[in-house]
Amino acid sequence: MDLTDQPTALLPGDVRMPLLGFGTWQATGQAGYEAVLAALDTGYRHLDTATMYGNEREVGRAVQESGLRREDVFITTKLPPDRVGRERQTLEASLEALGVEYVDLWLIHWPPSSPGDSIPLWRELLAARDGNLARAVGVSNYSTAEIDELIQSTEENPAVNQIKWSPALYDRQRHAEHRDRGVVLEGYSPFKTSDLSDPVLTRIAAAHDASPAQVVLRWHIDHEIVVIPKSVTPERITANFDVFHFSLTAEEMRDIDALGEV
């Protein structure tokens, strides 16, 4: 399955972001490299890393050795917020480690501890985008109010906000706030906060000959929410990608949404 065959979210600048990505947090060293290579072999075309993960070199090596063209892999990395004043230097180090000339998405990993740093930090990301070092820029772990501050100060919306998300955390209002601002919602830790033995998930999984974990991923995709499951186990990596043979009904989506609205 090529990048063009996968469901994507459209970011500013006509950038297409696959809705299903591969998370690499804690995937380091040789095991991390092998996991990323397995993910690319499986069909993933979206990789999520960060300066803080300490694995950009392994991720880049896997991309280069996969035989795929650079433009066929969507790469995200993230800037630690304590790098205020060293943003460009940090991104250049990421690009060097990844072995690429640009990333597809560069995020502020979480809001800086000093609120006064937020706007200057965001302006540096915009400058990197305008300098073609990142195709799109956004944030991670930001509240709606913090996103609004960036938009009001610069008239530039973050393309993406990456936050912890799962059926149990479903918040209809938060989801709508992102949509209303043209910010793509990207969820991480989809399983950590999910009860995969929940009767709703097991019932829906049985109806589709799928696992509850696959239903959780499909729920994100059918909501057009980006999701980045992580695993270093080849079988799990494959299973997490095998979610394109079914979709959920409107009633099933409502039943899963309700898990977060209890």
Side-chain angles (χ1 to χ4, degrees):
M1 182 180 274
D2 289 331
L3 182 57
T4 51
D5 299 327
Q6 298 186 23
T8 56
L10 182 60
L11 309 185
D14 203 29
V15 175
R16 293 259 166 206
M17 180 182 193
L19 290 178
L20 180 61
F22 184 70
T24 67
W25 181 55
Q26 295 181 321
T28 55
Q30 183 67 14
Y33 156 75
E34 289 174 1
V36 175
L37 196 56
L40 293 170
D41 284 347
T42 298
Y44 292 86
R45 295 294 178 263
H46 167 188
L47 304 173
D48 180 90
T49 183
T51 296
M52 288 290 293
Y53 297 171
N55 63 4
E56 288 171 318
R57 209 162 287 284
E58 288 82 2
V59 170
R61 187 174 138 225
V63 171
Q64 279 139 35
E65 296 187 13
S66 70
L68 295 165
R69 299 181 307 167
R70 167 65 189 94
E71 58 267 33
D72 291 336
V73 184
F74 186 101
I75 301 174
T76 300
T77 195
K78 309 182 199 76
L79 171 79
D82 60 6
R83 300 293 178 94
V84 174
R86 292 176 291 150
E87 299 89 352
R88 181 63 65 98
Q89 178 188 338
T90 303
L91 179 56
E92 286 172 353
S94 288
L95 296 176
E96 190 275 326
L98 288 162
V100 297
E101 293 180 359
Y102 65 90
V103 288
D104 297 279
L105 181 63
W106 193 31
L107 304 177
I108 302 173
H109 208 149
W110 59 90
S113 50
S114 169
D117 288 340
S118 202
I119 305 304
L121 200 54
W122 179 232
R123 289 192 191 282
E124 285 298 322
L125 267 77
L126 295 171
R129 181 202 63 192
D130 294 345
N132 298 318
L133 298 180
R135 295 175 70 214
V137 290
V139 295
S140 182
N141 301 304
Y142 270 58
S143 68
T144 301
E146 288 164 334
I147 288 172
D148 284 344
E149 183 192 4
L150 302 184
I151 296 171
Q152 285 155 14
S153 299
T154 63
E155 297 185 347
E156 290 265 18
N157 302 14
V160 171
N161 185 26
Q162 185 184 116
I163 57 177
K164 192 177 285 186
W165 197 260
S166 71
L169 298 177
Y170 184 66
D171 180 334
R172 188 180 304 278
Q173 182 180 340
R174 191 104 198 267
H175 188 194
E177 286 167 354
H178 283 77
R179 215 170 30 236
D180 293 347
R181 287 158 179 77
V183 178
V184 169
L185 178 55
E186 178 177 14
Y188 67 82
S189 298
F191 306 137
K192 193 172 271 188
T193 54
S194 292
D195 176 6
L196 296 177
S197 63
D198 185 283
V200 171
L201 296 179
T202 56
R203 168 175 59 79
I204 294 171
H208 293 282
D209 195 21
S211 70
Q214 288 170 327
V215 167
V216 167
L217 297 176
R218 188 69 223 189
W219 171 82
H220 284 76
I221 291 166
D222 286 347
H223 263 313
E224 298 186 338
I225 292 170
V226 180
V227 62
I228 46 171
K230 65 183 184 66
S231 178
V232 294
T233 312
E235 297 76 21
R236 188 84 44 78
I237 290 169
T238 302
N240 287 344
F241 189 75
D242 185 20
V243 293
F244 297 110
H245 63 284
F246 73 100
S247 59
L248 303 173
T249 67
E251 185 181 2
E252 289 169 339
M253 291 292 285
R254 283 195 297 272
D255 288 347
I256 298 171
D257 291 353
L259 298 175
E261 296 172 340
V262 177

